[in-house]
Amino acid sequence: MKVAEETSMTKEFELFDKMSEHEQVVFCNDPSTGLRAIIAIHNTTLGPALGGCRMQPYNSMDEALEDVLRLSKGMTYKCAAADVDFGGGKAVIIGDPKTDKSPELFRAFGQFVNSLGGRFYTGTDMGTSMDDFIHAMKETNFINGLPEAYGGGGDSSIPTAAGVLYGIKATNYMLFGNDELGGHKYAIQGLGKVGFKVASGLLEAGATIYVTDINQENLQAIEGLATTTLGKVIVIAKEDIYSQDADIFVPCAFGGIINDNTIAQFKVKAIVGAANNQLLHDRHGKMLQEKGILYAPDYIVNSGGLIQVADELYGINHERVLAKTKHIYDAILEVYKEAISSGRTTEESANQMCEKRIADRSKRNSFYTAPAKPKWSIRNLT
Ligand SMILES: NC(=O)C1=CN([C@@H]2O[C@H](COP(=O)(O)OP(=O)(O)OC[C@H]3O[C@@H](n4cnc5c(N)ncnc54)[C@H](O)[C@@H]3O)[C@@H](O)[C@H]2O)C=CC1
Ligand SMILES: O=C(O)CCC(=O)C(=O)O
């Protein structure tokens, strides 16, 4: 009995150890709709936590928890880098997006989001769509990234893809001394909402792209599009995408793709893509540096979508979103230059800039200002 008690105590502390950098983790359970979700709030120094909600058939509790903890931490850095007044959070729903969705499930999720009273704003991510959040918004105001007809900014993958293209331009400038997109070769993993738009932009600029996706329709669509552009597309088996003789690898599918196995295969000069949490571990940033591969920190490159959903705070303005998204070009160049002069990896340089921004803001938040209209009120909650 004593042994069992000790074991369970150890396990409980393991959970706290895992979330030691996080402010709050909420487990949401609603048997009547089948909802099992986890909301993780990493850091709210810059403002309420903001981050999309991913739906995936995770294999275990640990896998789902690890994903939401990593993704929410990434959002803290992404918000700091993009200079938006939000902190880092994320949610995961455990389930198959093809078979387990229902309006009731998303309404139940909306109720849990509402119970946090504005500490967490959420919207779409992998496996969820704007349609799902039209159900969730019936239960809570703390939803962003809605369709324009519902007062949101619409498809956030448009500015995300624009930001990735700015990141690629900045990288080309570092590699070749001019930032033209055409005339180079790119290996693109994933032609979904973001990857397809990035691929289209590169084809239109006349580039050669090696592409892979597990969805045949996406591959056929990009081949069809290529015939109307100056560019060229070559379809590659999914396991061969890492070893292509391209200039830049553009990951637009899932995280953890920069690891021991893939680094051994890379022949590219740089990696610039939309996927969140691309480095499996921090040490993989160092390995890329040692191999002479320039790495554009993912949370800067893919912050266009965040810039758009955060802009809803002021009433969405697409020109303002585009202007801010353009800044990704300068932000990436700044990181490259800082990393070269300090000897740090690009990820370390970017992290340090973000941590300084958060530390500076926490000092400014330390004095009292008179109560006024809540600063964070996307849909006039007062
Ligand atoms: N949508 C957005 O605005 C943002 C997306 N991201 C990240 O960018 C990545 C892509 O996002 P979306 O385009 O929205 O997702 P998506 O779900 O629309 O697209 C992912 C694509 O990857 C493909 N894929 C899955 N497994 C693959 C494999 N093994 N090999 C090749 N392709 C595979 C899928 O078939 C799909 O076409 C994700 O990691 C997401 O977290 C980050 C910031 C914002
Ligand atoms: O879509 C959102 O609600 C915020 C953006 C986000 O989750 C992301 O950039 O990964």
Side-chain angles (χ1 to χ4, degrees):
M1 181 61 190
K2 193 159 183 289
V3 172
E5 268 172 20
E6 275 169 10
T7 311
S8 88
M9 286 289 283
T10 313
K11 279 194 178 152
E12 279 190 37
F13 285 115
E14 258 175 39
L15 182 52
F16 276 106
D17 286 344
K18 276 188 185 166
M19 61 170 282
S20 64
E21 292 180 29
H22 288 69
E23 290 177 13
Q24 191 176 11
V25 177
V26 184
F27 291 83
C28 314
N29 184 41
D30 182 45
S32 70
T33 60
L35 176 75
R36 282 177 164 185
I38 312 174
I39 297 170
I41 296 179
H42 177 256
N43 186 303
T44 57
T45 306
L46 299 181
L50 171 65
C53 171
R54 182 171 282 198
M55 185 167 186
Q56 207 169 294
Y58 292 98
N59 293 312
S60 68
M61 179 68 201
D62 273 357
E63 196 181 285
L65 183 63
E66 193 165 320
D67 206 26
V68 77
L69 292 176
R70 270 169 65 89
L71 289 164
S72 54
K73 181 176 175 184
M75 288 306 297
T76 296
Y77 285 84
K78 197 183 298 197
C79 289
D83 197 20
V84 298
D85 289 329
F86 284 95
K90 207 88 177 184
V92 295
I93 295 178
I94 299 160
D96 187 334
K98 291 198 198 82
T99 51
D100 296 338
K101 283 186 181 178
S102 69
E104 293 72 27
L105 181 134
F106 279 93
R107 287 187 77 141
F109 178 68
Q111 283 182 284
F112 281 107
V113 171
N114 205 47
S115 74
L116 291 167
R119 269 177 61 71
F120 176 61
Y121 285 79
T122 195
T124 60
D125 199 87
M126 274 173 79
T128 58
S129 71
M130 288 192 284
D131 288 346
D132 301 326
F133 287 93
I134 291 168
H135 302 300
M137 75 173 282
K138 292 177 183 161
E139 304 292 343
T140 181
N141 276 310
F142 306 116
I143 300 292
N144 47 18
L146 287 165
E148 292 186 83
Y150 286 82
D155 184 356
S156 60
S157 68
I158 296 171
T160 303
V164 175
L165 290 169
Y166 283 121
I168 293 175
K169 272 170 143 313
T171 305
N172 282 347
Y173 181 78
M174 281 302 284
L175 294 174
F176 307 112
N178 77 68
D179 64 12
E180 295 304 315
L181 291 173
H184 302 297
K185 294 184 279 181
Y186 305 88
I188 308 176
Q189 181 180 48
L191 295 171
K193 294 189 290 291
V194 181
F196 195 90
K197 295 178 184 79
V198 172
S200 310
L202 294 173
L203 283 177
E204 274 153 25
T208 297
I209 58 172
Y210 301 94
V211 296
T212 191
D213 199 299
I214 51 172
N215 182 334
Q216 291 304 314
E217 281 174 24
N218 293 347
L219 294 170
Q220 282 159 11
I222 203 71
E223 284 182 308
L225 185 76
T227 60
T228 66
T229 69
L230 292 173
K232 190 173 165 207
V233 64
I234 299 143
V235 172
I236 301 293
K238 75 176 180 351
E239 58 282 7
D240 294 335
I241 196 71
Y242 308 108
S243 58
Q244 291 310 305
D245 198 2
D247 297 301
I248 300 186
F249 175 56
V250 187
C252 294
F254 48 86
I257 30 77
I258 302 178
N259 53 49
D260 294 342
N261 174 33
T262 57
I263 291 174
Q265 298 178 58
F266 286 137
K267 298 189 187 114
V268 290
K269 301 178 181 68
I271 300 177
V272 189
N276 278 312
N277 296 340
Q278 291 170 27
L279 296 171
L280 184 60
H281 299 297
D282 292 344
R283 70 183 170 81
H284 293 114
K286 193 80 198 157
M287 284 172 72
L288 287 181
Q289 187 188 36
E290 283 163 5
K291 203 168 166 175
I293 298 175
L294 203 50
Y295 170 63
D298 48 11
Y299 63 77
I300 300 182
V301 172
N302 69 18
S303 60
L306 166 71
I307 289 168
Q308 175 160 304
V309 300
D311 197 75
E312 291 179 10
L313 200 56
Y314 314 107
I316 191 78
N317 176 315
H318 290 290
E319 275 175 32
R320 185 168 58 214
V321 170
L322 187 62
K324 221 171 165 193
T325 302
K326 254 186 187 168
H327 180 68
I328 290 172
Y329 181 100
D330 300 317
I332 288 293
L333 277 184
E334 191 185 340
V335 166
Y336 287 156
K337 288 177 185 162
E338 204 289 328
I340 288 167
S341 71
S342 67
R344 279 189 278 265
T345 68
T346 51
E347 179 87 350
E348 287 163 351
S349 294
N351 287 354
Q352 209 189 44
M353 287 179 196
C354 294
E355 282 157 14
K356 182 172 180 319
R357 197 166 277 176
I358 293 167
D360 288 350
R361 184 74 61 82
S362 77
K363 281 183 218 141
R364 284 207 294 280
N365 283 349
S366 67
F367 61 89
Y368 177 78
T369 54
K373 176 182 174 290
K375 191 170 161 192
W376 288 279
S377 175
I378 285 189
R379 269 181 293 283
N380 293 320
L381 301 176
T382 47

